[in-house]
Amino acid sequence: MDVATLGAVGTILVGLATAVGAFVGKRGENRAAQSGAVLTGYGTLVGDLQEERDKAQTKLAETEQRLAEAYRELATTQTDNAQLRAEITVLRADAERLRARVVELGGSPT
């Protein structure tokens, strides 16, 4: 083989090596881009989950506060009801006493 043929074969081999290198490099670049996209997607998913968790914790705190207020109101209502029952008992007894007194004084109870 002469020098010109060796030069041409060398040029072809260098061109093929360059093409193979570019192909492998592009595959690596694509793989890196996919890895970056996966990591970015994972980061976004984690952020979304944390945001959803924070909203749920806020809603839970509000619900627990409303529940405590409802229990306080129920306790107050039960206390008020007990006081009203006691007052009704006293008023009924007083009404019966007054009816008896009216009859005793010669009137007619209404």
Side-chain angles (χ1 to χ4, degrees):
M1 280 197 209
D2 63 355
V3 176
T5 305
L6 287 176
V9 170
T11 303
I12 290 172
L13 290 176
V14 169
L16 286 174
T18 303
V20 168
F23 179 73
V24 170
K26 188 65 174 175
R27 286 185 61 192
E29 181 183 327
N30 288 341
R31 193 171 297 136
Q34 285 177 339
S35 296
V38 168
L39 290 177
T40 301
Y42 178 75
T44 301
L45 178 62
V46 168
D48 290 348
L49 289 174
Q50 288 174 341
E51 183 179 335
E52 186 175 340
R53 181 198 61 210
D54 292 343
K55 286 180 183 178
Q57 285 176 332
T58 301
K59 182 75 172 170
L60 175 61
E62 291 171 359
T63 301
E64 286 177 342
Q65 182 179 3
R66 289 177 51 204
L67 180 61
E69 289 172 8
Y71 275 126
R72 278 193 297 275
E73 185 176 333
L74 178 62
T76 301
T77 302
Q78 288 173 345
T79 301
D80 290 346
N81 284 344
Q83 289 172 346
L84 287 173
R85 283 189 204 107
E87 187 176 345
I88 288 170
T89 301
V90 168
L91 290 173
R92 281 186 179 165
D94 196 32
E96 288 300 318
R97 183 186 60 79
L98 290 172
R99 279 192 191 100
R101 183 70 178 146
V102 167
V103 169
E104 191 179 286
L105 295 173
S108 98
T110 55

